[in-house]
Amino acid sequence: MRFMVAPTFPLRRASLLLALPLATLFAGCDMLGIETPGMANAKKEAEGKAIGAACRHAVRSLEDCYNSNPRVSKAAIFEGWREMDEYMRENEIEGMPAAPPAPPAPPPEEVILPPSTPSAAPSPAAGPAMTPGTSAAPTGAIALPPRPNLAPPR
C-alpha cells in the first residue's frame, strides 16, 4: 500500500507570498486616515484639554466652560484648565478675558409716508413734479399705498 504525502511546502510558500502583500497593505491603514476607536478617544481627550486651556487663558470659570461645552468630557476640560493654570502661574502670564459682546444694532426703522394726491400730470422731460407744499421722501423710505381701516398718521 502506498500513502500519498500531501505537498505542504508549495502551499506554505504560496500562502506566505499572499500574506506578505496583505500585511503591508494593512500596515498602512493609519496613513489612509482610517480612525480607530483609540485614535478617536485620544482626539476627544486632546480637544477637551484644548478647550479647558482656552477657558483658563480667557479667565473663564470651569463651570462656564462645562456649560458651554456639554459634549466634551469634564475630566478632559479640567485637565487642560489645570495644566494651563500651572503654566500661567510659572511664567507669570495674565489671562486675557474676552471683550463683552457688543449689543445688537437696532433694526432699521421703516418710514411709511402718507399717500400723495396726484395734481397735474408731469411732463417726462421736466422730471418729477415738486409742488411747494410737498417734500421729497427721505432716503431709504418706502411709500406704501394707503391701508384700509387705518387712520392716517398725524
Side-chain angles (χ1 to χ4, degrees), residues 48-108:
K49 284 184 176 184
I51 289 170
C55 285
R56 172 58 185 103
H57 192 258
V59 193
R60 291 180 56 200
S61 69
L62 278 171
E63 291 79 17
D64 290 341
C65 205
Y66 293 154
N67 291 335
S68 61
N69 301 291
R71 292 186 174 183
V72 182
S73 166
K74 290 183 179 183
I77 291 175
F78 176 73
E79 183 67 25
W81 195 94
R82 186 179 57 80
E83 287 177 5
M84 180 57 91
D85 185 56
E86 289 175 5
Y87 177 78
M88 290 175 70
R89 288 177 193 265
E90 287 174 4
N91 297 311
E92 298 177 3
I93 298 173
E94 291 185 27
M96 298 181 71

Side-chain angles (χ1 to χ4, degrees), residues 5 48 124 127 141 150:
V5 178
L150 292 177

